[in-house]
Amino acid sequence: MGRYVIRRLLQMIPVFIGATFLIFVMVYALGDPVAAFFGDRAPDPATAAQIRHQYGLDQPLWRQYVDYMGNIFTGDFGTAFNGQPVTELMKSAFPVTLRLTLVAIFFEIVIGITLGVVTGMRRGRPVDTSVLLMTLVVISIPVFVLGYVLQYVIAVQWGIGEPSVSPEAPLNELILPGIVLALVSLAYVTRLTRTSIAENTRADYVRTAVAKGLPRRRVILRHLLRNSLIPVITFIGTDIGGLMGGAIVTERIFNIQGVGYQLYQGILRHNSATVVGFVTILVIVFLLANLLVDLLYAVLDPRIRYA
């Protein structure tokens, strides 16, 4: 196990470098952040040159990337054009989005897997058909439409929850945004769990467990569910980074000042240091989540062993 973890950590290095380099090139090479900073006004050449020199934008692109990578290992993610360090923005934004993501993951796991098990064990019955239709509707409707509809109906019409989240973002105010953020992923988890359960129900080890007279609850939890969850855990692990990065729409709807809000502001204002810094952290989160998923395989299926 130890050798496997070390090998995976070493494999993450080129992936991290490649991903951050592509992000850096797309953000810095496809636009002039200094010109965007001045808006419609033409900047004074001397002032523009001074700003470029201050932020290292007058260096070749490869040199800027090397300097950036050297700085982030010391905890320096650069400075926004308003003079505020990017790390300060991260300290205020990431805890909020992390709480929102945990709420979304909770609903995704509890509701998604439960519905998947129920429909998988009752394949072809009315409950199976109804849940499949509902998940198809959720997947088909854009997130911003679902978000505004649920915000209006639940928060405004029914008065359950708040239509917008306060800057402190307490957990009780993140329940409705968490549901909105989790809806599409929850639908995929339900369908994936249902398919995996339905396939493994006909497996030899399940028939053997039933023939031995084991209780139905034990057959489902100890045998059927553990083997069926492997593809589901894979999806959820890769979805963690996607939820944190894809929270832009949800955070805009509910006025949550998290990662999505900061990324939106950075893109809108062409604040390259903010965009690159936040996406770099999201890449790290994605890589660590995938490593954790791979390690969970051996827990779910004892037949899996790492050399």
Side-chain angles (χ1 to χ4, degrees), residues 76-182:
D76 181 11
F77 285 84
T79 305
F81 284 147
N82 60 359
Q84 187 176 12
V86 176
T87 51
E88 292 186 4
L89 298 176
M90 291 180 178
K91 290 177 182 178
S92 61
F94 268 101
V96 175
T97 300
L98 182 60
R99 290 198 297 271
L100 177 62
T101 304
L102 290 176
V103 172
I105 290 292
F106 173 80
F107 287 114
E108 182 178 340
I109 292 175
V110 174
I111 300 178
I113 293 179
T114 301
L115 289 177
V117 172
V118 171
T119 54
M121 298 298 297
R122 293 167 174 81
R123 188 175 183 180
R125 298 183 184 180
V127 64
D128 179 33
T129 305
S130 301
V131 172
L132 286 179
L133 287 176
M134 287 190 296
T135 56
L136 185 60
V137 170
V138 170
I139 294 173
S140 303
I141 300 177
V143 176
F144 66 88
V145 175
L146 288 172
Y148 280 118
V149 170
L150 291 178
Q151 181 189 47
Y152 177 76
V153 173
I154 297 178
V156 178
Q157 292 292 324
W158 296 351
I160 304 175
E162 298 293 334
S164 63
V165 177
S166 59
E168 296 77 16
L171 192 61
N172 62 306
E173 294 183 4
L174 293 177
I175 294 178
L176 181 57
I179 294 175
V180 172
L181 181 61

Side-chain angles (χ1 to χ4, degrees), residues 213-286:
L214 295 179
R216 180 180 175 87
R217 178 187 180 92
R218 184 175 181 183
V219 172
I220 294 175
L221 296 179
R222 293 290 301 274
H223 298 276
L224 180 59
L225 187 58
R226 286 183 62 178
N227 290 280
S228 301
L229 281 182
I230 291 180
V232 180
I233 292 297
T234 302
F235 174 81
I236 294 175
T238 56
D239 195 44
I240 293 176
L243 288 176
M244 294 189 69
I248 295 178
V249 175
T250 304
E251 291 186 358
R252 287 286 296 169
I253 294 174
F254 292 94
N255 193 32
I256 302 173
Q257 299 184 11
V259 172
Y261 172 83
Q262 295 297 341
L263 280 174
Y264 174 79
Q265 294 296 324
I267 295 172
L268 188 66
R269 301 174 182 176
H270 294 270
N271 202 330
S272 304
T274 302
V275 176
V276 174
F278 273 82
V279 177
T280 299
I281 298 297
L282 291 178
V283 170
I284 296 175
V285 171
F286 182 83

Side-chain angles (χ1 to χ4, degrees), residues 189-218:
V189 168
T190 300
R191 297 173 73 91
L192 187 59
T193 306
R194 179 251 184 195
T195 302
S196 186
I197 288 287
E199 290 178 354
N200 288 323
T201 301
R202 298 186 295 268
D204 292 339
Y205 68 89
V206 174
R207 287 200 294 265
T208 301
V210 174
K212 290 168 61 177
L214 295 179
R216 180 180 175 87
R217 178 187 180 92
R218 184 175 181 183

